[in-house]
Amino acid sequence: MKAVMKPLAIAVLAAATGSAFAADNTATTSQTGSGNTASTTQTNTDFNDATVSQLGDNNNADVLQTNSSDTQTASVDTTGNDNDASISQNSSASVSGSITQDGDQNTAAISQDDAEGNTFSSSATISQVGGSFDNDATVNQTGTIDADATITQDGGAGNTATVNQGLDAFVDATITQTDSFASDATINQGAASFASAEITQTATGNASATINQLVDTFSTASITQSDGIDNVATIDQTLGGGLTATVDQSLSSFATADVDQTGLDHTATVSQTNISFASDAVVDQSGFGNDATITQNFSGLSSAMITQTDNNNMADIDQQGSWQSDATVDQSGDDHIANVDQGLGDRNSATVTQTGSANEAEVDQSGSDNLATVDQSASGNYAQAHSHGGNGVIDIDQTADGNFAQVEQTAPAEYGIATISQSGADNWAYIEQSGVGAFGNENYATILQSSTMDTASIYQAGGGGNNALINQN
């Protein structure tokens, strides 16, 4: 008896066969008007492409793509007010999502998650422009290799941009905010390798930028804030090796930069330049092999502080053309080098405190009425302070073996005050002063050495009003 398939059975078989091998699907939605809603779902298929275009008010677009062994592409473009768009791409080999919004109070979210462990490449891009207010953009990428996330917000106020990347490798995150007020940008990268995070805020006020890298290796973090006021930049790198952090705040006032690194072989750089007023920079590093650099040029009433704990640290603070600014370096551990350079600035204060062996400190001040203090404890220390401006005060205190200290105050028209205190044997101390020195504004040079085989020298060539004291016991 010959079997004959009924029409219903043939239809069911055809549908099952078609879903098992479905591929190269394209979904396109175009809406013009108010109150539009578009929803696109593509699952269990390969080489999918979804496009949504909305022109009008109160638009809502939702795209879901999941469970593909090949490429998934989604794009949402909305123009109007109060737009809401989301793209979710999960468990696919290669995914790409893009959202562009031009309007007010826009919300955009892209989620790319490798739940099945087969996502090798993911790309997410969100652009919000047009002088929008209270825009919100979020990108979440988890468990992918070669992931890229980009958020751009232009204009308006109260904008928020967030990128979360976790359990990823070879990932990049970039946030750019321009011509906005009270905007917030955050990048979180956890358990990532070879990750890069970059935030740029230009012509912004009261803005906040934060980068968190937790248990990352060979990763970089960079924040740039320029031509703004009252901005805050924070970088936190914890439990990682080979990390680099950079903060650049130029043409900024009342700016704050904070870098905190915990772990091995870190590098941190903070730059506040080109007329930065009342700005603060802080670097805190724990570990070994750390390198921290802070530059504040042409800034007034600014503060820079570097604190490094443990081995092989190096700190460099440069305040050029600054006034009434403070620089502080505090290092505990071995093999430290601290260099503070305050040139062509007045009424600045520099303090270097190092505890440990083989420390080296150098302070160079070229302005007037500056104060430099160096305090070193342990063996093999070296301290040198130069003051090329008048009315400067330098104080060096070294405790332990093999200390060396030299002070030069060379302002020809004014006076200087210098003190060197050394404890331990076989120390060397030298003070040179060439200020004019006069009654009431006299040069003072003091060397105190409390051991044996010490050498002390004072040279004063300023004329009258000089005072020299050497005490060895």
Side-chain angles (χ1 to χ4, degrees):
M1 179 178 180
K2 185 177 180 180
V4 179
M5 297 185 66
K6 296 182 178 181
L8 180 59
I10 295 175
V12 172
L13 178 60
T17 304
S19 65
F21 297 96
D24 297 317
N25 294 319
T26 300
T28 302
T29 302
S30 179
Q31 295 175 321
T32 301
S34 300
N36 299 317
T37 299
S39 180
T40 304
T41 302
Q42 295 172 319
T43 61
N44 301 315
T45 59
D46 298 334
F47 298 104
N48 295 313
D49 180 77
T51 302
V52 177
S53 177
Q54 294 174 321
L55 176 61
D57 300 327
N58 304 315
N59 297 314
N60 184 284
D62 183 8
V63 176
L64 172 62
Q65 296 173 323
T66 184
N67 196 22
S68 171
S69 61
D70 220 298
T71 304
Q72 305 265 39
T73 302
S75 175
V76 177
D77 189 343
T78 57
T79 301
N81 299 317
D82 307 322
N83 299 313
D84 191 332
S86 66
I87 296 174
S88 181
Q89 297 169 316
N90 304 319
S91 303
S92 300
S94 177
V95 295
S96 176
S98 174
I99 297 176
T100 301
Q101 295 175 318
D102 187 351
D104 297 331
Q105 297 181 351
N106 299 313
T107 300
I110 297 177
S111 176
Q112 296 169 331
D113 182 18
D114 179 23
E116 301 298 329
N118 63 347
T119 301
F120 298 104
S121 176
S122 60
S123 175
T125 302
I126 297 176
S127 178
Q128 295 172 324
V129 297
S132 304
F133 291 86
D134 296 325
N135 293 317
D136 186 274
T138 303
V139 174
N140 295 316
Q141 294 173 321
T142 305
T144 62
I145 300 176
D146 191 19
D148 180 83
T150 302
I151 296 176
T152 301
Q153 293 174 322
D154 186 4
N159 299 324
T160 301
T162 304
V163 175
N164 299 312
Q165 294 172 321
L167 298 174
D168 301 329
F170 303 101
V171 296
D172 295 320
T174 302
I175 296 176
T176 302
Q177 294 174 321
T178 307
D179 294 327
S180 62
F181 181 79
S183 294
D184 181 84
T186 303
I187 297 176
N188 299 312
Q189 294 173 324
S193 298
F194 301 98
S196 174
E198 180 179 351
I199 296 176
T200 301
Q201 295 173 320
T202 305
T204 58
N206 196 29
S208 175
T210 303
I211 296 176
N212 298 311
Q213 292 177 323
L214 175 63
V215 199
D216 291 0
T217 55
F218 304 105
S219 299
T220 62
S222 174
I223 295 176
T224 301
Q225 295 173 320
S226 61
D227 194 16
I229 185 172
D230 201 22
N231 295 324
V232 178
T234 303
I235 296 177
D236 189 354
Q237 295 173 318
T238 306
L239 298 177
L243 301 177
T244 301
T246 303
V247 176
D248 187 353
Q249 295 171 318
S250 60
L251 293 174
S252 299
S253 298
F254 302 99
T256 300
D258 188 354
V259 177
D260 188 356
Q261 294 175 317
T262 301
L264 313 174
D265 195 25
H266 300 324
T267 299
T269 302
V270 176
S271 179
Q272 295 171 323
T273 61
N274 296 329
I275 312 178
S276 295
F277 182 75
S279 298
D280 296 328
V282 178
V283 176
D284 185 359
Q285 294 175 317
S286 296
F288 70 89
N290 298 316
D291 185 352
T293 301
I294 296 177
T295 301
Q296 293 174 321
N297 291 344
F298 303 103
S299 61
L301 301 175
S302 296
S303 175
M305 181 180 68
I306 297 176
T307 300
Q308 294 175 317
T309 302
D310 292 331
N311 308 314
N312 302 320
N313 297 315
M314 183 174 68
D316 180 7
I317 296 178
D318 182 0
Q319 292 173 321
Q320 291 283 340
S322 301
W323 65 97
Q324 297 187 34
S325 296
D326 296 328
T328 301
V329 177
D330 183 1
Q331 295 176 317
S332 296
D334 303 330
D335 305 321
H336 299 320
I337 296 177
N339 181 27
V340 177
D341 185 353
Q342 293 171 317
L344 302 177
D346 299 332
R347 296 178 178 85
N348 294 319
S349 175
T351 302
V352 178
T353 301
Q354 295 175 316
T355 301
S357 61
N359 296 316
E360 178 179 353
E362 181 177 349
V363 177
D364 193 345
Q365 296 172 320
S366 299
S368 299
D369 303 304
N370 293 319
L371 172 63
T373 301
V374 178
D375 184 1
Q376 295 176 316
S377 298
S379 61
N381 296 316
Y382 163 86
Q384 178 173 297
H386 293 221
S387 178
H388 304 293
N391 309 333
V393 179
I394 297 176
D395 187 357
I396 297 177
D397 187 358
Q398 295 174 318
T399 302
D401 308 8
N403 295 318
F404 173 95
Q406 177 175 325
V407 173
E408 293 183 5
Q409 294 174 317
T410 59
E414 298 178 87
Y415 68 92
I417 300 175
T419 303
I420 297 176
S421 300
Q422 295 174 321
S423 298
D426 198 21
N427 294 316
W428 187 91
Y430 175 78
I431 296 176
E432 177 181 344
Q433 295 174 321
S434 59
V436 171
F439 180 76
N441 292 303
E442 303 174 359
N443 294 316
Y444 286 88
T446 303
I447 297 177
L448 306 176
Q449 295 173 322
S450 58
S451 189
T452 59
M453 302 181 64
D454 294 329
T455 301
S457 300
I458 295 176
Y459 173 78
Q460 294 174 318
N466 296 317
N467 296 272
L469 171 63
I470 296 177
N471 191 336
Q472 295 174 320
N473 56 56

Short mmCIF file of all heavy atoms in Angstrom, two decimals, residues 11 13 47 67 246 253 273 286 293 404 452 455:
data_model
loop_
_atom_site.label_atom_id
_atom_site.label_comp_id
_atom_site.label_asym_id
_atom_site.label_seq_id
_atom_site.Cartn_x
_atom_site.Cartn_y
_atom_site.Cartn_z
N ALA A 11 2.73 20.38 5.47
CA ALA A 11 2.96 21.75 5.92
C ALA A 11 3.79 21.78 7.19
O ALA A 11 4.69 22.61 7.35
CB ALA A 11 1.61 22.45 6.14
N LEU A 13 5.95 19.47 8.24
CA LEU A 13 7.31 19.07 7.93
C LEU A 13 8.08 20.21 7.27
O LEU A 13 9.25 20.47 7.57
CB LEU A 13 7.29 17.85 7.01
CG LEU A 13 8.68 17.33 6.56
CD1 LEU A 13 9.50 16.93 7.78
CD2 LEU A 13 8.51 16.16 5.61
N PHE A 47 22.78 35.01 10.12
CA PHE A 47 22.91 36.13 9.18
C PHE A 47 21.64 36.99 9.16
O PHE A 47 21.02 37.19 8.12
CB PHE A 47 23.22 35.61 7.77
CG PHE A 47 24.51 34.86 7.68
CD1 PHE A 47 24.50 33.48 7.59
CD2 PHE A 47 25.72 35.53 7.68
CE1 PHE A 47 25.69 32.77 7.51
CE2 PHE A 47 26.91 34.83 7.60
CZ PHE A 47 26.91 33.45 7.52
N ASN A 67 20.60 33.43 19.82
CA ASN A 67 20.89 32.05 19.43
C ASN A 67 21.19 31.92 17.94
O ASN A 67 20.47 31.28 17.19
CB ASN A 67 19.74 31.12 19.82
CG ASN A 67 20.16 29.65 19.79
OD1 ASN A 67 21.35 29.35 19.89
ND2 ASN A 67 19.19 28.76 19.66
N THR A 246 45.40 57.69 33.01
CA THR A 246 45.74 59.05 32.57
C THR A 246 44.53 59.96 32.73
O THR A 246 43.43 59.63 32.27
CB THR A 246 46.20 59.07 31.11
OG1 THR A 246 47.31 58.20 30.94
CG2 THR A 246 46.60 60.47 30.69
N SER A 253 38.56 74.86 35.59
CA SER A 253 38.59 75.49 36.90
C SER A 253 37.79 74.64 37.88
O SER A 253 36.81 74.00 37.51
CB SER A 253 37.99 76.90 36.84
OG SER A 253 38.76 77.73 35.98
N THR A 273 46.46 71.71 33.10
CA THR A 273 47.29 72.74 32.49
C THR A 273 46.46 73.81 31.81
O THR A 273 45.24 73.72 31.73
CB THR A 273 48.25 72.12 31.45
OG1 THR A 273 47.47 71.50 30.42
CG2 THR A 273 49.14 71.08 32.09
N SER A 286 49.28 51.55 45.64
CA SER A 286 49.84 50.55 46.55
C SER A 286 50.36 49.39 45.72
O SER A 286 49.67 48.88 44.85
CB SER A 286 48.78 50.07 47.54
OG SER A 286 48.36 51.13 48.37
N THR A 293 52.73 60.73 37.87
CA THR A 293 53.15 62.05 37.39
C THR A 293 51.96 63.01 37.44
O THR A 293 50.90 62.70 36.90
CB THR A 293 53.68 61.98 35.95
OG1 THR A 293 54.79 61.09 35.90
CG2 THR A 293 54.11 63.36 35.47
N PHE A 404 72.72 62.67 52.02
CA PHE A 404 73.38 63.75 51.29
C PHE A 404 72.34 64.84 51.05
O PHE A 404 71.24 64.56 50.58
CB PHE A 404 73.92 63.22 49.96
CG PHE A 404 74.48 64.27 49.05
CD1 PHE A 404 75.83 64.55 49.05
CD2 PHE A 404 73.64 64.98 48.20
CE1 PHE A 404 76.35 65.53 48.20
CE2 PHE A 404 74.15 65.96 47.36
CZ PHE A 404 75.51 66.25 47.36
N THR A 452 79.36 61.31 63.71
CA THR A 452 80.78 61.47 63.41
C THR A 452 81.03 61.43 61.91
O THR A 452 80.20 60.98 61.13
CB THR A 452 81.59 60.35 64.08
OG1 THR A 452 81.12 59.10 63.59
CG2 THR A 452 81.42 60.41 65.59
N THR A 455 80.34 66.21 57.18
CA THR A 455 80.88 67.37 56.49
C THR A 455 79.77 68.39 56.29
O THR A 455 78.69 68.05 55.78
CB THR A 455 81.48 66.99 55.13
OG1 THR A 455 82.52 66.03 55.32
CG2 THR A 455 82.03 68.21 54.43
#
